[in-house]
Amino acid sequence: MSDNELDFIELDFNELPFEEMKERSLSFYKIMNRRRTTRHFSNKKVERELIEVAIRTASTAPSGAHLQPWTFVVISNEELKKKIRDASEKEEIETYSNRMPESWSELLKPLGTDYVKEHITDAPWIVVIFRQTKRQRKNLEWGPTYYSQESCGIAIGIFISAIQNMGLVTLTHTPSPMGFLREILNRPKHEHAMLLMPVGYPADDAKVPNLSRKNMSEVIKWME
Ligand code: IYR
């Protein structure tokens, strides 16, 4: 295909003055630096429209071959949440008591995590992201997707940022193993549950572990 056969449009881009770039970058950083993972959710309702905007924002993520290999399943139904919590706790009790080596549990101790997943029934919304490992071609044959882990990871990062930016909280919960989510949520075989995120307001007495983040000298290696 030659260049003039490609369907390309002008990039929508405005160059900003340095001062404005600096101001915007810092104000976004300040919002994101207040983000914390809490396990304590209030049951206060959140408008569906806000969750939809967060997913619309997540879905702007770049993805391998622009396949957008994700499905966000959004649950508010109380019975379904209870079913997911029961199934998650059934796996997690086994993980915490038998499957987790000591080298792993020593790291989780200060985070105060355990097999009890009350956040699944407390939060008004549960968002489960499924990673699509296959896609249907125009001729209806099935083909693979590309870089679906990376693509979904980026989409999740943007989702978390959107939730933080709108003034809500979320938690990245990884029940392990999480195959039960495909069954309960009736997703096809080529979709793999990647993460379960309760979304809502924090409980009035929500707590977080007293952690600090790495210094930039540990994170960045400049080579100028
Ligand atoms: N999947 C468990 C355990 C867990 C694992 C890690 I690594 C964490 O940072 C936190 C929890 C759970 O979701 O509780």
Side-chain angles (χ1 to χ4, degrees):
M1 205 187 276
S2 71
D3 262 12
N4 54 13
E5 284 176 69
L6 291 171
D7 185 16
F8 270 44
I9 55 169
E10 290 302 315
L11 175 67
D12 179 16
F13 180 84
N14 304 323
E15 187 171 325
L16 302 174
F18 173 70
E19 282 310 319
E20 191 178 339
M21 290 168 86
K22 203 163 118 178
E23 209 176 285
R24 287 169 63 139
S25 62
L26 283 174
S27 72
F28 186 62
Y29 165 67
K30 281 182 193 149
I31 292 170
M32 292 310 295
N33 195 33
R34 290 183 65 203
R35 189 203 61 75
R36 291 300 311 263
T37 297
T38 183
R39 320 186 87 73
H40 309 135
F41 283 78
S42 142
N43 60 8
K44 184 173 166 177
K45 295 276 164 264
V46 168
E47 293 75 4
R48 186 182 196 267
E49 160 183 10
L50 293 176
I51 307 299
E52 186 172 334
V53 179
I55 296 173
R56 192 183 295 218
T57 308
S59 215
T60 66
S63 60
H66 188 54
L67 288 174
Q68 299 183 265
W70 45 70
T71 307
F72 289 82
V73 178
V74 191
I75 305 128
S76 64
N77 180 285
E78 298 299 335
E79 280 162 36
L80 203 45
K81 286 198 284 182
K82 176 84 174 73
K83 205 167 163 185
I84 294 171
R85 175 176 172 181
D86 288 347
S88 174
E89 289 181 339
K90 200 165 152 224
E91 291 294 359
E92 290 285 87
I93 198 163
E94 185 56 26
T95 297
Y96 276 87
S97 24
N98 298 317
R99 295 195 276 238
M100 212 179 259
E102 192 268 329
S103 55
W104 185 358
S105 55
E106 74 172 352
L107 291 175
L108 296 190
K109 215 172 269 166
L111 304 182
T113 67
D114 60 21
Y115 75 87
V116 183
K117 304 300 176 193
E118 68 264 23
H119 47 79
I120 300 179
T121 44
D122 289 346
W125 296 101
I126 303 300
V127 177
V128 181
I129 182 168
F130 284 85
R131 176 174 66 88
Q132 299 167 359
T133 57
K134 293 201 170 82
R135 54 135 187 159
Q136 207 157 19
R137 301 178 66 188
K138 282 204 187 97
N139 63 8
L140 301 185
E141 278 172 22
W142 287 89
T145 55
Y146 304 96
Y147 301 102
S148 61
Q149 305 256 19
E150 291 83 348
S151 306
C152 290
I154 298 167
I156 290 165
I158 297 178
F159 178 80
I160 293 169
S161 311
I163 291 296
Q164 173 68 10
N165 188 52
M166 68 177 66
L168 295 171
V169 296
T170 186
L171 156 69
T172 47
H173 172 39
T174 49
S176 160
M178 57 178 107
F180 67 87
L181 288 165
R182 185 199 290 135
E183 315 283 302
I184 295 180
L185 299 172
N186 213 8
R187 298 308 305 162
K189 262 212 170 80
H190 69 279
E191 293 195 4
H192 298 285
M194 200 168 163
L195 202 58
L196 182 160
M197 291 171 286
V199 180
Y201 293 92
D204 287 339
D205 57 350
K207 299 272 187 303
V208 292
N210 185 12
L211 304 175
S212 54
R213 295 192 166 106
K214 283 183 175 174
N215 290 325
M216 281 307 97
S217 62
E218 289 176 89
V219 173
I220 314 183
K221 304 295 168 197
W222 298 101
M223 300 202 181
E224 291 173 297

